[in-house]
Amino acid sequence: MTGPGADRTTTPADDHQGTALFAELARSVVALAAREQLRSFALPYPRSAQRVLDRMVLYCLDRGWAPPRSVPEVMAWCAEHTAGGPLFQVPAEFLSPEARLIDPVGRLPSRICLELASHGPQGQVEQEAVDLLTDLAARCGSAERYSRCRRFLADRPVIGQRDPFSDGSHWNPALWKRVKDLYEPVPEYLLSSRVLALCGTCGLPGLSFGRRAAGPGTWCESEHCPPGVHFRLIRDPGRTLLLRRSLRIFLCLPGPTEFAALAELSRAGIGHDLVPAALGAHFVHTLAAAPYLLRTYDRLEPALLASRITNTPVDATADTLVVVPRRQADRPGYRSAFATALDDDCRRRTMLTTPDELVRQIGILHSSRKGNAHA
């Protein structure tokens, strides 16, 4: 089943040889990680891994460099070489120069890897999340049931034996029946000494490597949580279920931003309706004749986010508010890089904002509409 991610195009940077190869490597890293092969490298490899090794060899030979000799060596390069380094030279307006595909501490796909592996016509990870939610919406049969199920997933990336599977104060077996196939056993690569560590800040899986608190030498799937917060350690992970990784990254991670934005709208008395076949999309109803479109994300790479907004339009004519966490919006150059990467038409009707700015920005858009109507 295909949701809004079906209509995807490329950007000019995709024609750059180093960029295209870096993106193909991202997809191969994801494929190997899904088969728990980033550490053991057990044969056989996915076809994509062998294909990208062949491309890496040719790419290096064309430039007079010593090529990698094996898939494990290619993966080692993914933890060592950065996007903007001399090997790939990915344009800085497309990807952060310091971006790596494999986190050097966790030895797992980085968030940037997952974002890049979701980009373009061959994108995978985010598209899987969209398809899973689209299928869930169809099975729920009503917007209200789907909204409850979606909120359950966003709030519970991890389900343990003692979790109540509750909807309010009571166990809801009907809800659990609809969502349980989206959970799976804990994979070996997320265990350290047979223990599952959950980040004490975001609640997503981490790797503690024997340490009690987050800090140097530990890893968290969100990659942004502060040091010093103690991990929650699960010593019997066989009785624990994890939400699928695509949903943890593209639903749970932006969840706090989305729900903060909706809370701001509710406080201001502004109505909103969830768009089922999308990630974090809502129509916002004001006194304006046409609703605004609210799209919520937590993305590290502004150019990849802009490409997503441009090439997966929920409504190609609606004025769109793209809400991101404050920590992203305030990064130097993030807003300008996002705006620059949008096409001209999309840039005219798209505004990047944060939950705390949202209501004020809607007021600005509303005033602009009224001014244009009287012009």
Side-chain angles (χ1 to χ4, degrees), residues 223-301:
E223 297 182 10
H224 67 70
C225 292
V229 180
H230 281 207
F231 288 103
R232 175 188 165 200
L233 301 178
I234 298 179
R235 302 187 184 280
D236 189 6
R239 297 172 181 264
T240 299
L241 296 173
L242 285 183
L243 190 62
R244 295 194 195 183
R245 178 180 58 183
S246 62
L247 292 172
R248 296 198 306 269
I249 296 299
F250 293 110
L251 175 64
C252 297
L253 194 57
T257 302
E258 177 183 346
F259 301 131
L262 296 181
E264 292 291 332
L265 294 178
S266 296
R267 275 193 286 272
I270 299 173
H272 49 83
D273 294 316
L274 178 66
V275 180
L279 284 172
H282 299 257
F283 282 116
V284 176
H285 304 284
T286 65
L287 296 176
Y292 300 104
L293 180 62
L294 179 73
R295 302 183 71 173
T296 312
Y297 294 92
D298 187 342
R299 301 296 168 88
L300 296 177
E301 292 297 326

Side-chain angles (χ1 to χ4, degrees), residues 339-371:
T340 300
L342 294 169
D343 66 28
D344 291 341
D345 177 64
C346 199
R347 190 180 304 114
R348 281 191 292 270
R349 56 183 176 78
T350 301
M351 182 179 292
L352 187 77
T353 187
T354 61
D356 57 300
E357 296 174 350
L358 178 59
V359 172
R360 180 170 61 86
Q361 298 288 17
I362 289 175
I364 292 172
L365 281 176
H366 187 57
S367 297
S368 175
R369 275 186 177 181
K370 286 197 297 184

Side-chain angles (χ1 to χ4, degrees), residues 13-14 16-23 59 82-99 116 301:
D14 293 299
H16 178 269
Q17 263 195 308
T19 302
L21 183 55
F22 204 66
Y59 180 83
T82 59
L87 180 60
F88 298 105
Q89 300 181 38
V90 177
E93 63 269 20
F94 181 71
L95 212 59
S96 301
E98 68 277 9
L116 184 57
E301 292 297 326

Side-chain angles (χ1 to χ4, degrees), residues 23 28 70 74 121 123 129 131 149 154 175 178 212 218 225 241 269 280 292 304-305 307 319 324 338 355:
S28 292
S70 65
V74 171
D131 289 348
C149 288
L175 186 152
R178 293 188 189 100
R212 296 180 61 191
T218 68
C225 292
L241 296 173
Y292 300 104
L304 294 182
L305 174 58
S307 175
D319 288 333
V324 299
F338 172 79

